[in-house]
Amino acid sequence: MSVIRSLFFVVCLAEASWNREESVPEDGGTSVTGSEGNQLRLFMCITGQLGRLVLDSKIENFIKAQKSKGHVVDVVTILDPALEPRYYHAEASGYGNRSTAFNNLQEVEAALAPHARNSRVVTYLQPENPKVPSWYVANSASHSAPRQRETRSKMQMRQFYTIAQCYNHMEDFEAENGERYDEVLRLREDAYIMRPPTLLHEMNPVPDALAIDCDRWMGINDKALLIRREAASVYYKGLLEAVTHP
């Protein structure tokens, strides 16, 4: 949403650029400075539906990759446990491979626990029929038919409600650990990380946020966002607030 971008120094990259090997500094990021010197405290929140969850690349190319640099990673997944997911695009209804998917939230916890410093799997039943302001429906995918705009808007509202849950769990971990995170990554459950991404503290100057493919329309999409902890409340709370209380 453009209201979010107006508050930050945001770097917008195409999806391929966010995963480029050459975007990593020559020193491998070892010169970065976080709250504990060169060690960064990272929080990853995965949101969405259990039936669409893709986890392998998130473990390999974020959790394990950042741990290898000496950083710590805590993870929360906030998932609707339904195994039959919702899709906006009809052609995506056959998406995913159930033979490699998770059958329950306990399997998700078992997959994350060996790799994250702390992990938490949260059940969140997405609202079936969320209330969407008429102005938002009218401005959502304006090229689509009215019914399609309404369907798309409701799916986005479910995402906003789910994203808002991340902030509370992040604060819980901070209270339990007695420390504040440096960077926060929010990923949609079906996002696939091709290569370890460049962290904000590995950039010069250090931006407030890194978003994927948002430069074409001056907004923030729901695929992924890496953001400094100091700015996190505006994104995690601001998306829902901007829509419900414009």
Side-chain angles (χ1 to χ4, degrees), residues 94-198:
Y95 170 84
N97 182 347
R98 289 303 306 163
S99 66
T100 60
F102 296 94
N103 294 305
N104 53 62
L105 298 179
Q106 289 74 25
E107 292 181 358
V108 178
E109 176 62 34
L112 288 170
H115 307 291
R117 180 182 65 170
N118 297 297
S119 61
R120 178 181 297 174
V121 177
V122 179
T123 300
Y124 179 70
L125 299 177
Q126 296 184 354
E128 184 67 31
N129 190 32
K131 184 178 180 181
V132 185
S134 58
W135 70 266
Y136 186 83
V137 176
N139 286 278
S140 176
S142 57
H143 60 281
S144 303
R147 183 169 294 277
Q148 290 176 316
R149 290 200 297 269
E150 183 177 3
T151 299
R152 187 184 185 94
S153 298
K154 287 183 177 181
M155 294 195 72
Q156 290 170 345
M157 284 298 296
R158 293 188 191 103
Q159 279 277 359
F160 298 157
Y161 277 111
T162 308
I163 290 170
Q165 307 297 312
C166 289
Y167 195 82
N168 293 335
H169 291 285
M170 178 186 68
E171 289 189 315
D172 286 348
F173 269 170
E174 288 180 329
E176 292 172 9
N177 298 331
E179 59 188 27
R180 189 176 173 90
Y181 294 107
D182 297 298
E183 300 186 18
V184 182
L185 173 65
R186 207 288 303 182
L187 288 170
R188 205 168 68 183
E189 81 283 68
D190 59 350
Y192 190 91
I193 304 177
M194 300 293 292
R195 295 188 179 96
T198 303

